[in-house]
């Protein structure tokens, strides 16, 4: 399998997150990539550009969490640039360990991620960082 296929690029992204290599991840994205997170409420729902994505990953690194992908299923689509990945994160942080479901839709062109739509369980992540009260306040609860 070519290292530039959407499947291979997703696998590198997932492996990088699971291994905690946060500072390497933005290099998998095109310069003008767009990350959409429709279910996020306390952070930008749309992140544009590789350097902004790099800053986002730096923030993720600072959270002090371990996110290890498990139970990954990658679905090929009729569009050769797009894959859909279903997976769980085993999240370990100062509040213990939990599992969070995820779906990610990736568009890859010339070996770089040009767009993603990320459906992560942000409540589980907030619980693990102790940030649930702030997340609920931001959501107006």
């Amino acid at each position: 399998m070519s290292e530039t296929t959407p499947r291979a690029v997703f696998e590198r992204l997932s492996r990088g997150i699971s291994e905690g290599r946060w500072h390497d991840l933005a290099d998998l994205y095109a310069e003008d990539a767009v990350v959409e997170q429709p279910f996020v409420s306390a952070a930008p729902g749309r992140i544009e550009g590789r350097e902004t994505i790099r800053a986002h990953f730096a923030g993720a690194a600072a959270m002090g969490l371990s996110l290890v992908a498990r139970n990954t299923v990658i679905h090929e689509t009729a569009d050769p640039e797009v894959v859909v990945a279903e997976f769980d994160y085993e999240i370990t942080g100062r509040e213990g360990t939990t599992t969070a479901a995820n779906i990610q839709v990736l568009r890859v062109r010339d070996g770089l991620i040009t767009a993603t739509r990320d459906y992560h369980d942000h409540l589980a992540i907030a619980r693990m960082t102790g940030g649930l009260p702030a997340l609920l306040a931001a959501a107006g609860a």
Side-chain angles (χ1 to χ4, degrees):
M1 171 184 357
S2 169
E3 289 296 312
T4 62
T5 66
R7 174 184 289 271
V9 173
F10 170 78
E11 288 171 345
R12 284 200 316 273
L13 175 66
S14 179
R15 192 171 42 255
I17 291 169
S18 293
E19 294 172 358
R21 291 185 285 112
W22 297 102
H23 300 291
D24 298 336
L25 299 176
D27 295 333
L28 297 172
Y29 289 78
E31 190 173 320
D32 60 348
V34 174
V35 174
E36 294 180 272
Q37 300 178 80
F39 294 159
V40 72
S41 60
R46 183 178 172 94
I47 305 167
E48 298 183 38
R50 180 187 297 141
E51 294 314 309
T52 307
I53 293 167
R54 189 178 310 283
H56 174 76
F57 282 129
M63 288 191 305
L65 296 178
S66 167
L67 283 76
V68 177
R70 306 263 190 239
N71 308 315
T72 302
V73 177
I74 301 172
H75 303 277
E76 307 282 338
T77 70
D79 184 332
E81 294 184 339
V82 176
V83 292
V84 178
E86 298 177 79
F87 56 99
D88 296 321
Y89 274 137
E90 180 180 289
I91 305 172
T92 304
R94 64 177 169 246
E95 301 296 321
T97 300
T98 194
T99 301
N102 303 272
I103 295 177
Q104 196 168 32
V105 181
L106 279 84
R107 178 172 295 279
V108 175
R109 188 173 298 131
D110 298 325
L112 295 173
I113 300 167
T114 61
T116 69
R117 289 182 61 85
D118 301 350
Y119 301 91
H120 302 302
D121 184 347
H122 293 280
L123 286 175
I125 295 168
R127 275 193 302 272
M128 296 311 294
T129 62
L132 188 56
L135 182 64
L136 292 173

